[in-house]
Amino acid sequence: MSILVCRLNYPLANYQLAAELTVAPGITVLLGPNGAGKTSLLRLLAGLNQPASGQIQLGERCLFDAEKRIDLPSEKRRIGMVFQDLALFPHLDVSGNIGFGLKMRRVSSSARQNRVQQLLEKLAIEHLAKRNVTTLSGGERQKVALARTLATDPQLLLLDEPTAALDPAARGEIRRWLQTVLTQLNIPTLLVTHDAEEVAYFRKRVAVMEQGKIVQQGSFHQLLREPASEFVARFVGVNYILGEVCEQAGKLIFCSRGGAKFLAPFKQVIPGAAFMTVLPWDIALYRELPDGSPRNHLYGEIRDVVILGDRVRITLEKEDKLVAEISTRGYLALGEPQPGENFWAVFKAREARIENCEELPC
Ligand SMILES: Nc1ncnc2c1ncn2[C@@H]1O[C@H](COP(=O)(O)OP(=O)(O)OP(=O)(O)O)[C@@H](O)[C@H]1O
């Protein structure tokens, strides 16, 4: 299986895209806010725009090298793209759409039919074979678009926000389907999203893009445990609090900028600027402060409650803002907390990660 390795520069309207990225077989989620340059990066990889400098290597093949003046045309890159508009051919049925690329390559009719049938089975969409694509639901159209792309046997898949245009029910269904199909295929796949919830769903390798740069690349777990910056932490949904480590009565305390004080496992830190990260699901909520082992706590007002299937995300604010994620069962047991109510957010000292930082950004 091939691996994509690229380093690309390209001037965009307001900033320079300067991205370095590695995509191994399987799904890598490319996460970034609107306008971060995700679609532009896909277009450069696919050969639809030409980078100002850099290289693109896919397995043994060099697709682009500015210095060596190598620039393989799009159709020779063996890259399968599914862009947001899908661009299915309305005059062809599902099988016709899937076989279209093979027809253009003058593949014989019988070989084409075999390949189309194989894909219909592999992607569990045989029942759609003869349907007119204009009658399909959004989720079904996504499936057909992926099947059409796979027909030409790509070595890299680029999927631009495959679930963005779907309603929540269809989104859940297409995510499960993508997870199954893409895991089986094991082709290097870059799946673009600006939705951190999507990353939490796939729990795969993640590359985070901000202003044209890949600011962190790693496993979902790594990003949660060791976000490289406040931007990454906030984007993947980790609590990130700036402050400083102070010495008080022989103990080291983390004092947040907002004025809250927290205990923590301090072996590795010294007095000075620092940040603390806590995972939302390591925070419990209580109406009354519980007795027991020394724990960190913050008493605050609920600002926001978001129900995410079997989990509930609750934002609490006082000196600082903390987001807790609890089970729906726990939420019901607490009497369904609502915005405006006050609660204790509690977490164990060892569940916080505190690190010194050079200086506090403003
Ligand atoms: N060909 C281009 N030349 C110059 N600037 C461009 C070009 N294409 C896009 N841009 C600009 O580059 C920035 C990044 O756009 P891009 O569509 O790549 O972001 P994105 O991360 O995919 O955003 P979204 O999540 O909204 O789709 C935007 O400010 C956009 O206006």
Side-chain angles (χ1 to χ4, degrees):
M1 263 301 162
S2 47
I3 292 182
L4 169 81
V5 181
C6 69
R7 185 176 58 76
L8 297 171
N9 291 289
Y10 183 74
L12 290 172
N14 301 320
Y15 58 83
Q16 180 80 12
L17 183 143
E20 284 187 38
L21 184 67
T22 302
V23 183
I27 305 173
T28 294
V29 180
L30 179 62
L31 176 70
N34 288 120
K38 306 181 295 297
T39 304
S40 302
L41 175 59
L42 296 198
R43 292 182 60 83
L44 293 171
L45 290 171
L48 302 177
N49 290 347
Q50 195 188 46
S53 63
Q55 289 119 13
I56 306 172
Q57 185 78 28
L58 182 56
E60 303 284 291
R61 296 185 308 134
C62 175
L63 308 186
F64 179 84
D65 190 321
E67 280 177 16
K68 294 184 185 156
R69 296 181 182 274
I70 298 172
D71 185 9
L72 238 56
S74 189
E75 65 279 9
K76 296 215 166 129
R77 292 195 176 195
R78 295 193 59 194
I79 293 181
M81 298 164 285
V82 181
F83 282 112
Q84 286 181 42
D85 61 7
L86 302 181
L88 295 175
F89 305 117
H91 61 291
L92 296 175
D93 65 8
V94 166
S95 295
N97 265 277
I98 299 174
F100 183 82
L102 299 173
K103 196 172 180 182
M104 291 295 99
R105 289 173 191 208
R106 301 187 190 283
V107 173
S108 73
S109 168
S110 62
R112 219 162 58 219
Q113 277 175 19
N114 283 342
R115 180 73 181 131
V116 170
Q117 185 56 33
Q118 205 185 29
L119 280 164
L120 288 167
E121 285 171 26
K122 203 171 196 166
L123 304 191
I125 50 171
E126 285 166 281
H127 58 291
L128 302 178
K130 295 291 159 227
R131 287 273 294 278
N132 182 318
V133 292
T134 56
T135 68
L136 300 177
S137 71
E140 289 167 340
R141 290 165 61 78
Q142 272 292 343
K143 292 180 181 180
V144 175
L146 182 62
R148 186 179 62 178
T149 298
L150 289 172
T152 51
D153 212 8
Q155 289 189 337
L156 173 72
L157 276 176
L158 305 175
L159 310 182
D160 197 2
E161 309 215 21
T163 66
L166 305 177
D167 63 46
R171 192 174 300 154
E173 203 264 327
I174 209 82
R175 277 179 187 157
R176 282 191 292 281
W177 179 84
L178 280 171
Q179 175 89 289
T180 312
V181 166
L182 295 174
T183 305
Q184 273 170 14
L185 289 169
N186 207 31
I187 300 171
T189 300
L190 202 52
L191 186 152
V192 169
T193 182
H194 62 260
D195 182 357
E197 198 190 301
E198 192 123 304
V199 184
Y201 177 81
F202 286 109
R203 292 184 182 251
K204 299 281 181 181
R205 289 182 292 268
V206 187
V208 185
M209 193 165 197
E210 183 189 8
Q211 286 260 5
K213 295 193 175 53
I214 304 295
V215 291
Q216 187 170 12
Q217 188 173 8
S219 67
F220 176 62
H221 188 80
Q222 241 171 338
L223 261 72
L224 289 177
R225 291 282 163 201
E226 293 165 29
S229 65
E230 179 171 7
F231 171 82
V232 175
R234 294 215 186 284
F235 212 60
V236 296
V238 178
N239 290 292
Y240 185 102
I241 298 178
L242 285 167
E244 59 179 325
V245 172
C246 318
E247 206 169 335
Q248 281 186 6
K251 278 190 179 168
L252 290 174
I253 305 282
F254 176 78
C255 305
S256 76
R257 273 185 167 182
K261 291 182 179 168
F262 299 101
L263 289 167
F266 278 117
K267 281 183 205 118
Q268 73 286 26
V269 288
I270 54 168
F275 65 87
M276 177 175 86
T277 54
V278 194
L279 297 175
W281 37 94
D282 285 339
I283 298 176
L285 294 181
Y286 295 91
R287 286 190 185 270
E288 304 293 336
L289 187 62
D291 301 330
S293 61
R295 288 157 177 257
N296 282 318
H297 48 257
L298 180 100
Y299 189 62
E301 185 181 318
I302 294 183
R303 296 274 192 228
D304 194 28
V305 177
V306 181
I307 313 248
L308 300 164
D310 62 347
R311 314 281 304 160
V312 183
R313 205 160 245 254
I314 297 174
T315 307
L316 204 85
E317 203 164 349
K318 178 102 185 272
E319 296 98 330
D320 291 285
K321 193 161 87 173
L322 276 182
V323 178
E325 197 177 299
I326 60 175
S327 66
T328 308
R329 183 188 290 229
Y331 178 69
L332 294 175
L334 284 172
E336 301 184 45
Q338 296 297 319
E341 290 186 81
N342 284 290
F343 271 80
W344 290 94
V346 176
F347 55 94
K348 292 182 183 140
R350 66 181 158 78
E351 280 160 353
R353 173 179 155 249
I354 294 180
E355 272 193 29
N356 285 113
C357 50
E358 290 281 304
E359 60 190 60
L360 290 185
C362 295

